Amino acid sequence: MGATYAYVGSRTSRERGADGEGITIWDAGGPGDGWRRLGTVAADASEARGDAALPANPSFLLVSDDRRSLYVTHGDTDAVSVLDLAADPAAPRLVQTVHLGRRNPVHLAQLGRRLLVTFMAGPGCVAELPIAGDGTLGEASAIVEFAGDPGPLAIQQRTGSSPHQAVPDPTGRWALVPDRGLDRVHVVPVEPALAPAASALVTRQAEGPRHVAFHPDGRRAYVVTELRSSLTTCDWDADRGVLTPVAVVPSTAPEATYDAYASEVFVTPDGSAVVTSNRSGKNDHVPPVTQTDTLGVFPLDPDGLPGPGRWFSSGGLRPRFFAFAPGGTLTVAHQWDGRIVEFDDAGGSLSGRREVARTGTPTCVAWLDAPRA
């Protein structure tokens, strides 16, 4: 009988005030079950290179398309690591760490035998690394930086370009790169190779685009902005590589009169709703201002336009990450209080909320269905 392994990334550095241990490995069981911890790949507790084999802040994780490797970014450093899953998915083994000379890698995306790495620290960029047959990474074959005038906010946008993702479109020809520092979503050609941006959506000033998600039909894209906590619906023209905004709604509830900064966005697998997460407070370094943070659920009409939102407790504080697990549950990782929470349904009404695990400063979850060892 097979197992669903969950790999939880975290922040571990003293500089971040974090209490994560590294990458924790869990048996995620089935829908409705609690998770069982299987082990940990320990990471350094400082952003300077330390004693642990794994660098600090393994904060974003990606299981490779062939399910044999786990790719890892190390936030606030210049490192990306590769762990082997093939020998024993319950005990990943570090096989490579590459130092790319760019600071704060925050996102990964695989395109065939290439890996896109997004670096947030100025100058922000996306790098393309070749993937060898054994899953290890070669030197960067292309690096694209982004030009433009910084947004008006003195703290969050002062360093200029600070992209947070590079998300391939359904055709595989383009990637969308939300850039918090420049108030833009860059459209970058990725086929046959990474190339400079062909166009960009310019948002309202001080929006701070953070993440983007495509509708399953490929005609719409949804951008969540961190600094204004808004959700922008866009037309997506894959032939020309052009993103056009058509509607903007708040990501937060009307009664959310406190400071908040939105984090994540996904479209339900059936295309019936778009879901956002909202973190209370000014930023990661100050305490939340509510007892629990929220998820916003916006039903989509047949044209992919969002209807009136409904807001639900996320079950914890600072829902930095959420995604749909292999069994269809919505899984939320709360960076502040360490809670990992599941919901049964995101189709207009989140139900069956339950805490399935708790660990230090979780920032990402990646899953692997595999035979039990």
Side-chain angles (χ1 to χ4, degrees), residues 109-116 128-131 172 190-194:
Q110 185 174 353
L111 289 168
R113 303 308 302 176
R114 298 173 290 148
L115 188 70
L116 299 183
E128 180 182 272
L129 280 64
I131 301 174
V190 294
E191 187 59 42
L194 179 68

Side-chain angles (χ1 to χ4, degrees), residues 229-366:
S229 294
S230 68
L231 175 67
T232 300
T233 301
C234 303
D235 284 334
W236 170 238
D237 185 338
D239 291 331
R240 298 188 300 137
V242 174
L243 197 62
T244 304
V246 296
V248 180
V249 297
S251 175
T252 53
E255 62 270 20
T257 58
Y258 45 81
D259 286 314
Y261 57 125
S263 178
E264 190 64 272
V265 61
F266 270 94
V267 180
T268 57
D270 64 1
S272 65
V274 59
V275 186
T276 65
S277 62
N278 303 293
R279 302 170 290 178
S280 66
K282 294 181 183 297
N283 55 54
D284 285 353
H285 305 289
V286 300
V289 298
T290 60
Q291 295 301 309
T292 180
D293 283 325
T294 64
L295 301 176
V297 180
F298 301 85
L300 297 176
D301 70 15
D303 291 325
L305 293 173
R310 298 180 65 192
W311 287 268
F312 302 84
S313 168
S314 66
L317 294 170
R318 295 276 161 83
R320 177 184 178 88
F321 171 91
F322 73 82
F324 290 94
T329 57
L330 183 71
T331 303
V332 187
H334 293 89
Q335 180 178 322
W336 187 266
D337 58 11
R339 299 174 190 269
I340 298 176
V341 175
E342 286 185 343
F343 295 84
D344 287 329
D345 175 39
S349 179
L350 300 180
S351 62
R353 188 185 76 211
R354 59 200 172 272
E355 181 180 325
V356 294
R358 194 178 296 195
T359 188
T361 321
T363 56
C364 182
V365 183

Side-chain angles (χ1 to χ4, degrees), residues 133-299:
D134 63 357
T136 57
L137 302 172
E139 295 185 359
S141 55
I143 296 176
V144 170
E145 296 181 354
F146 304 101
D149 295 327
L153 299 185
I155 296 177
Q156 297 94 332
Q157 298 180 310
R158 69 182 185 277
T159 59
S161 177
S162 52
H164 212 272
Q165 273 188 328
V167 178
D169 87 313
T171 72
R173 296 172 53 200
W174 313 92
L176 302 188
V177 183
D179 191 327
R180 187 186 74 176
L182 300 183
D183 286 329
R184 285 168 167 78
V185 181
H186 309 286
V187 180
V188 178
V190 294
E191 187 59 42
L194 179 68
S199 66
L201 162 67
V202 180
T203 69
R204 301 180 301 185
Q205 69 172 358
E207 284 278 11
R210 177 180 172 91
H211 281 186
V212 63
F214 283 98
H215 193 280
D217 68 12
R219 297 185 298 113
R220 299 278 196 194
Y222 305 89
V223 180
V224 70
T225 70
E226 180 171 343
L227 304 181
R228 281 204 192 188
S229 294
S230 68
L231 175 67
T232 300
T233 301
C234 303
D235 284 334
W236 170 238
D237 185 338
D239 291 331
R240 298 188 300 137
V242 174
L243 197 62
T244 304
V246 296
V248 180
V249 297
S251 175
T252 53
E255 62 270 20
T257 58
Y258 45 81
D259 286 314
Y261 57 125
S263 178
E264 190 64 272
V265 61
F266 270 94
V267 180
T268 57
D270 64 1
S272 65
V274 59
V275 186
T276 65
S277 62
N278 303 293
R279 302 170 290 178
S280 66
K282 294 181 183 297
N283 55 54
D284 285 353
H285 305 289
V286 300
V289 298
T290 60
Q291 295 301 309
T292 180
D293 283 325
T294 64
L295 301 176
V297 180
F298 301 85

Side-chain angles (χ1 to χ4, degrees), residues 7-13 18-26 37 39-45 52 54-61 70 72-74 83 359-364:
Y7 306 98
V8 180
S10 68
R11 283 181 172 159
T12 63
S13 68
D19 63 356
E21 301 170 61
I23 300 172
T24 52
I25 302 98
W26 304 77
R37 184 163 172 170
T40 303
V41 181
D44 281 326
L54 193 69
N57 300 328
S59 51
F60 189 85
L61 313 179
L70 181 68
V72 183
T73 66
H74 298 279
L83 281 71
T359 188
T361 321
T363 56
C364 182

